[in-house]
């Protein structure tokens, strides 16, 4: 069974600074996807960024980038130039394609961006 | 932009009552999901639905739960006899692996907060 671990329950960062959220996972699969979802106070789940395991290049979406280390089974999220609107819960998630394609989530990291 | 819609946004029910949570997935999507998030905890997979049948369910999804796609647009989650521990946020999601799989993304609804009293 796949597991996802987020070891930082809470983090805070000053506006405009950079913060990195950690995620590790455990799987015996070779092909899979990794995701970071953002859940603001409104509780909606919003996809921030995705990474395909067969791609060596780290995914980037504007201020959000990942550091994907496949051998170490690590998938961290870096948020650059943090904004107040980035305040949210961030969930790391794992998915194996080809079956039900369900998402397996970590417990989340609560990020607070301070003015 | 297409979106997943869930109703109601909040439902309060008495223990032992049946509830039906409703979802309208994105119209051309083929996979449908229900997830649950107990307050302050992680999001947990309940069930996936494809081609008019359950493709996978978790151990949480016991005989008290059922899903249905009654009319080709709605996707419902029924809890037959609610318990206090069913209080949670329930998220519906849909995805469309048929587009090629490489852009697989699950789109989530805004959630239904279920409170069992």
């Amino acid at each position: 069974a796949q597991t996802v671990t987020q070891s930082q329950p809470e983090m805070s960062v000053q506006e405009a600074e950079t913060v990195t959220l950690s995620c590790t996972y455990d799987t015996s699969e070779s092909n899979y996807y990794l995701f970071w979802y953002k859940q603001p106070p409104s509780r909606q789940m919003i996809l921030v960024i995705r990474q395909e395991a067969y791609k060596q290049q780290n995914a980037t979406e504007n201020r959000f980038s990942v550091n994907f280390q496949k051998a170490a089974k690590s998938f961290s999220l870096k948020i650059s130039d943090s904004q107040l609107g980035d305040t949210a819960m961030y969930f790391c998630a794992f998915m194996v394609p080809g079956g039900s394609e369900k998402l397996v989530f970590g417990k989340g990291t609560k990020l607070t961006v301070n003015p | 932009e297409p979106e997943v819609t869930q109703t109601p946004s909040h439902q309060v029910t008495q223990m032992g009552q049946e509830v039906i949570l409703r979802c309208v997935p994105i119209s051309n999507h083929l996979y449908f999901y229900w997830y649950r998030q107990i307050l302050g905890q992680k999001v947990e997979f309940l069930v996936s639905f494809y081609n008019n049948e359950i493709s996978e369910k978790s151990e949480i999804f016991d005989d008290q739960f059922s899903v249905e796609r009654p009319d080709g647009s709605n996707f419902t989650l029924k809890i037959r006899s609610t318990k206090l521990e069913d209080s949670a946020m329930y998220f519906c999601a849909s995805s469309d692996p048929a587009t090629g799989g490489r852009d697989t993304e699950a789109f989530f609804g805004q959630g239904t907060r279920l409170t069992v009293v």
Side-chain angles (χ1 to χ4, degrees):
Chain A
Q2 289 84 21
T3 59
V4 177
T5 302
Q6 292 179 249
S7 58
Q8 305 151 315
E10 293 192 42
M11 291 192 74
S12 63
V13 64
Q14 292 299 120
E15 198 175 4
E17 294 189 347
T18 295
V19 63
T20 298
L21 309 183
S22 302
C23 172
T24 59
Y25 58 93
D26 188 25
T27 184
S28 58
E29 301 286 342
S30 58
N31 184 30
Y32 49 86
Y33 290 79
L34 293 159
F35 305 85
W36 279 97
Y37 277 87
K38 171 184 177 181
Q39 188 181 42
S42 65
R43 304 297 297 274
Q44 179 137 21
M45 299 290 286
I46 303 165
L47 179 66
V48 174
I49 198 165
R50 75 168 69 83
Q51 175 77 43
E52 297 148 52
Y54 67 88
K55 286 188 176 179
Q56 292 188 333
Q57 187 173 6
N58 288 324
T60 300
E61 287 286 343
N62 301 314
R63 297 183 295 108
F64 299 88
S65 61
V66 298
N67 183 5
F68 174 48
Q69 302 288 329
K70 191 172 184 178
K73 295 181 181 174
S74 170
F75 182 62
S76 61
L77 173 69
K78 185 170 83 170
I79 306 174
S80 304
D81 186 24
S82 298
Q83 300 175 0
L84 297 178
D86 295 334
T87 293
M89 283 290 288
Y90 287 82
F91 292 97
C92 180
F94 174 98
M95 186 269 280
V96 176
S100 70
E101 308 214 354
K102 69 180 184 186
L103 291 164
V104 177
F105 286 89
K107 290 187 176 181
T109 296
K110 183 178 180 182
L111 176 67
T112 302
V113 180
N114 298 309
Chain B
E1 186 175 329
E3 60 180 15
V4 176
T5 305
Q6 290 185 243
T7 54
S9 56
H10 188 191
Q11 177 145 6
V12 181
T13 189
Q14 288 203 324
M15 191 169 56
Q17 295 296 305
E18 175 183 286
V19 294
I20 297 176
L21 309 184
R22 303 181 190 279
C23 170
V24 179
I26 294 173
S27 61
N28 61 341
H29 282 185
L30 301 178
Y31 275 78
F32 313 111
Y33 309 86
W34 284 102
Y35 291 86
R36 180 181 82 176
Q37 184 183 30
I38 295 172
L39 186 64
Q41 298 188 24
K42 69 175 178 180
V43 179
E44 300 172 292
F45 168 76
L46 289 179
V47 64
S48 61
F49 193 84
Y50 171 72
N51 200 26
N52 288 319
E53 61 183 22
I54 291 173
S55 54
E56 185 174 351
K57 60 183 180 180
S58 72
E59 56 190 30
I60 302 169
F61 194 87
D62 61 21
D63 292 343
Q64 293 299 312
F65 292 89
S66 62
V67 290
E68 194 176 35
R69 188 157 162 79
D71 56 12
S73 62
N74 290 285
F75 179 53
T76 61
L77 174 69
K78 181 193 291 186
I79 309 175
R80 265 180 267 283
S81 177
T82 50
K83 303 187 277 285
L84 295 176
E85 54 264 38
D86 293 328
S87 294
M89 195 77 161
Y90 288 81
F91 290 100
C92 174
S94 69
S95 66
D96 184 18
T99 58
R102 302 290 80 84
D103 287 325
T104 295
E105 174 183 347
F107 290 82
F108 283 78
Q110 76 277 25
T112 293
R113 183 186 300 276
L114 176 66
T115 303
V116 182
V117 297

